[in-house]
Amino acid sequence: MKNILLIESSPGGSDSYSHQAARSIVNEFQTRNPGSGIVIRDLGQNPPPHVGSAFIAAMSAEQRTPDQAWLLALSDALIDELFAADTVVVAAPMHNFGVPSTLKAWIDHVVRVGRTVAYSSGKGPEGMLKGKHAILVLASGGVYSNGHMKAFDFTEPYLRAVLGFLGITDVQTVRVEGTAVSAIGPEKAVASAIAQSREILSPVA
């Protein structure tokens, strides 16, 4: 049985284009893998707290306060979801050329030395989530995969770098782009993304 983890980060919920394309991927995955395990982590509706001084203190505290224990328990739960998944789908709209702050907060909770990253004097950092597959579902009003705006896309390079740091190097991208461009629009953008996802899932699911 294959397990899929869907990370959603749009505040738009079910109306967001990244949500629509990502849910299509999950539905197609379930159709091809009956009985597969699906975990959905909706950061837009239930955002994790941003890492602050309390989280940093909790990492080194010998006796943790209830708040510190809760912070690390949440971090551990998010990390456990990653370890349990065979495929990770990250759905993200572009916010000011980057990822939503809720997704950045999730990243800060799951990138942890001793849990998802190991350090050694000889090798340096080594990701501990190897052998997994990731699909990035990236939505944007403009077109950032090519052309003069490509240099402004900090979403895909950043997410690929973070996942690679965690050991996930098998990463593919589905673009829901041009939703605000008159020649493309939302319907064509979502349809194109669904077609992309089916091509990606053919050898995976």
Side-chain angles (χ1 to χ4, degrees):
M1 184 177 72
K2 295 184 177 180
N3 296 317
I4 187 168
L5 170 63
L6 171 58
I7 305 295
E8 296 191 305
S9 58
S10 174
S14 60
D15 292 331
S16 74
Y17 304 125
S18 61
H19 167 95
Q20 294 172 34
R23 288 301 176 103
S24 175
I25 290 175
V26 170
N27 292 340
E28 183 74 15
F29 189 93
Q30 286 183 301
T31 299
R32 299 186 187 199
N33 298 276
S36 56
I38 308 293
V39 173
I40 298 174
R41 177 65 67 168
D42 191 336
L43 307 177
Q45 300 302 311
N46 295 288
H50 288 283
V51 169
S53 58
F55 185 89
I56 302 302
M59 295 284 287
S60 57
E62 293 184 4
Q63 292 186 333
R64 299 187 177 107
T65 67
D67 286 344
Q68 290 175 331
W70 179 82
L71 282 172
L72 287 189
L74 173 62
S75 175
D76 285 333
L78 298 176
I79 290 171
D80 289 343
E81 289 175 352
L82 272 175
F83 272 107
D86 299 298
T87 296
V88 181
V89 178
V90 181
M94 178 182 282
H95 284 186
N96 297 320
F97 309 121
V99 301
S101 64
T102 52
L103 182 53
K104 178 59 170 65
W106 176 83
I107 289 169
D108 290 340
H109 279 277
V110 301
V111 179
R112 275 177 56 190
V113 175
R115 291 274 351 240
T116 54
V117 180
Y119 272 91
S120 65
S121 58
K123 295 182 179 179
E126 182 177 2
M128 301 170 70
L129 290 167
K130 296 177 181 178
K132 299 183 184 299
H133 174 233
I135 302 173
L136 305 178
V137 182
L138 308 179
S140 58
V143 175
Y144 293 85
S145 61
N146 55 64
H148 69 284
M149 293 302 292
K150 183 176 176 62
F152 290 87
D153 176 23
F154 298 99
T155 304
E156 182 176 2
Y158 173 66
L159 290 175
R160 282 182 174 273
V162 169
L163 291 171
F165 189 68
L166 296 176
I168 304 175
T169 56
D170 181 7
V171 182
Q172 293 171 290
T173 300
V174 170
R175 291 273 184 172
V176 194
E177 60 181 352
T179 59
V181 176
S182 59
I184 303 174
E187 290 187 8
K188 287 184 179 179
V190 173
S192 173
I194 292 174
Q196 294 171 54
S197 67
R198 286 175 179 162
E199 290 182 11
I200 286 175
L201 285 176
S202 292
V204 174

